[in-house]
Amino acid sequence: MKILAKKTSLSGNIVVPGSKSHTIRALILASLAEGVSHISNPLPSADCLSASKAIQEIGASVEFDNKNNIWTVTGAGKNAHLPSNVVDVGNSGSVLYFFTPICATFEGWSIFTGDSSIRKRPILHLLEALKQLGANCYVSRPEENAPPALVQGPIKAGKVITDGRLSQYISGLMMASTLIDGKLEIELTDPKEVPYLDMTKYWLESLGVQVEMSSDYKRISITGPYQLKSFDKAIPSDWEAVAFPLIAGLITDSKIVIDNVDGSGTQGDDAIVSVLQSVGADIQWNKETSQLFVTGGNRLSTENLSEKTLRVNLAGFPDAICALAVIACFIEGKTVLEDIGVCRRKETDRIVVMKSELEKLGAKVEEGEDYLAIYGNSPLLA
């Protein structure tokens, strides 16, 4: 395949798709609810479709109205049960880490697997947490910290102490708490990706679940069980998807409007707006109309920042690494993306991949264990 790319300008309005993170949470909670839920503006991505298949294994059903962009979920409710088959999560780490604790609340064995990438994703941190609550857990390959994984429940109320550097399994435990009789206490020694914990808290509280979460995210507790009720909710736009037209507009002589932008504060990736504004990006966010107004062509520079360096801590929104690494090549000065060690444990090692691919284009990039340093005004700009 040959792809020819030419610099051009963009104009007009664009609507980005719904959030993957919100869609998967909506599907799973709808599957646990009693009654019929309607999810509008879902993201029909492979990961979300994997979630829709997984929830059918515990007794829920899904109907897809692609014309009107509505998914209808008939929840399993009180009849939710042990998966009737091996749970294949496809390529979705979210489904793996969310669904495993939920299935661990049922009596019996559940088996989880996925594609070749998932079968390399770390899972022992989750299994160790479940063991603290009484589960029996194994990986099928003793020498590998990865699925296929086997989990025997039911887990019981109690206290879990874990690092929490990957937020997804913490969200999974929070959702599983609705099926547990008693108080689940989660103590995190090094919480990361905390906006995603806020997102899970937001969803649970919207369905009547009382969540206690400390301001430093190190203590979370929920007392169950809860019988969730069905709901009708719209999925907000995906900030990870907003980032790409946003930077495309900024690095070209463009003027675009991004519509249906989520201003709820439940997605940490919205921090990209203030990050780019700090180096001179012309971005106006009208939260009343849910629109971003983006004007490109401005000079982007770190000259007015301390140390003449743009330092971005991505612990709360690590998925922004790809977009920010690209636009950093167009920012005069040095940009350092910090606290991104978790990006090595995604579907690929994103630190290695971004460094390798940007260097092919002439960018100057330095890699550390948990950071990337990108120098602007590299030959990439020529």
Side-chain angles (χ1 to χ4, degrees):
M1 178 187 297
K2 292 184 178 181
I3 300 175
L4 179 63
K6 294 182 179 180
K7 184 175 180 179
T8 187
S9 60
L10 308 173
S11 63
N13 292 55
I14 183 173
V15 178
V16 297
S19 162
K20 177 184 77 171
S21 299
H22 276 289
T23 300
I24 293 177
R25 284 167 173 80
L27 282 167
I28 290 177
L29 292 173
S31 76
L32 300 178
E34 201 73 48
V36 179
S37 298
H38 301 93
I39 303 169
S40 58
N41 195 41
L43 179 68
S45 70
D47 283 5
C48 296
L49 292 174
S50 291
S52 73
K53 293 177 182 177
I55 64 174
Q56 295 179 61
E57 298 296 344
I58 65 169
S61 63
V62 188
E63 294 181 8
F64 304 96
D65 181 351
N66 295 322
K67 180 179 179 181
N68 296 304
N69 201 22
I70 297 175
W71 291 357
T72 300
V73 179
T74 301
K78 62 180 179 295
N79 295 316
H81 55 70
L82 192 74
S84 53
N85 199 351
V86 173
V87 179
D88 186 340
V89 304
N91 184 243
S92 179
S94 293
V95 178
L96 173 67
Y97 296 133
F98 290 172
F99 213 59
T100 301
I102 289 169
C103 294
T105 66
F106 304 123
E107 184 174 357
W109 288 93
S110 301
I111 304 172
F112 303 88
T113 190
D115 68 5
S116 59
S117 174
I118 284 293
R119 296 195 302 275
K120 298 176 183 176
R121 296 285 286 272
I123 197 171
L124 291 182
H125 57 294
L126 168 56
L127 301 187
E128 289 302 322
L130 294 176
K131 286 179 181 179
Q132 293 179 49
L133 298 174
N136 288 320
C137 306
Y138 302 94
V139 290
S140 65
R141 298 168 293 170
E143 72 283 0
E144 295 288 342
N145 173 15
L150 299 86
V151 178
Q152 183 186 35
I155 56 176
K156 303 293 185 180
K159 185 174 183 177
V160 172
I161 300 176
T162 184
D163 60 55
R165 287 193 288 267
L166 284 170
S167 69
Q168 292 163 315
Y169 73 106
I170 307 304
S171 287
L173 288 168
M174 292 171 67
M175 288 186 276
S177 70
T178 63
L179 301 173
I180 296 174
D181 186 5
K183 188 174 185 178
L184 175 63
E185 297 179 90
I186 306 171
E187 182 177 322
L188 305 181
T189 59
D190 188 21
K192 303 289 185 184
E193 305 180 320
V194 294
Y196 293 106
L197 301 181
D198 283 329
M199 183 186 294
T200 304
K201 181 174 181 284
Y202 164 84
W203 269 99
L204 289 171
E205 289 183 338
S206 75
L207 299 179
V209 178
Q210 293 185 335
V211 181
E212 296 180 16
M213 183 183 290
S214 64
S215 58
D216 61 3
Y217 299 91
K218 289 188 175 181
R219 290 173 300 281
I220 304 169
S221 64
I222 301 171
T223 302
Y226 284 89
Q227 183 54 73
L228 303 180
K229 300 299 183 183
S230 58
F231 55 85
D232 295 348
K233 290 185 180 293
I235 300 299
S237 60
D238 191 348
W239 266 99
E240 293 174 34
V242 168
F244 295 100
L246 175 61
I247 66 169
L250 292 175
I251 63 180
T252 56
D253 293 326
S254 300
K255 195 166 186 177
I256 62 173
V257 180
I258 305 176
D259 294 316
N260 193 33
V261 171
D262 178 22
S264 68
T266 58
Q267 299 185 60
D269 300 71
D270 61 8
I272 194 173
V273 171
S274 59
V275 167
L276 295 175
Q277 287 173 331
S278 73
V279 292
D282 187 348
I283 308 170
Q284 306 298 322
W285 187 357
N286 188 326
K287 293 189 178 181
E288 291 185 1
T289 63
S290 302
Q291 292 176 305
L292 280 182
F293 297 84
V294 183
T295 303
N298 278 20
R299 175 172 172 260
L300 306 179
S301 173
T302 65
E303 63 184 6
N304 294 322
L305 303 178
S306 60
E307 305 178 52
K308 309 298 181 187
T309 299
L310 174 61
R311 294 187 176 275
V312 187
N313 189 302
L314 290 182
F317 54 115
D319 288 336
I321 180 177
C322 301
L324 284 174
V326 169
I327 199 168
C329 299
F330 296 83
I331 300 172
E332 295 177 11
K334 182 181 180 181
T335 297
V336 182
L337 307 180
E338 302 174 314
D339 210 348
I340 55 175
V342 68
C343 293
R344 296 191 183 279
R345 293 186 282 174
K346 300 291 185 177
E347 70 285 345
T348 62
D349 185 329
R350 296 181 186 177
I351 297 175
V352 169
V353 169
M354 291 310 299
K355 180 176 185 292
S356 172
E357 298 306 307
L358 289 176
E359 285 181 336
K360 291 177 183 178
L361 298 173
K364 181 181 179 182
V365 184
E366 294 176 359
E367 171 193 351
E369 181 60 30
D370 67 347
Y371 75 87
L372 272 181
I374 302 104
Y375 294 84
N377 282 339
S378 65
L380 182 69
L381 301 179

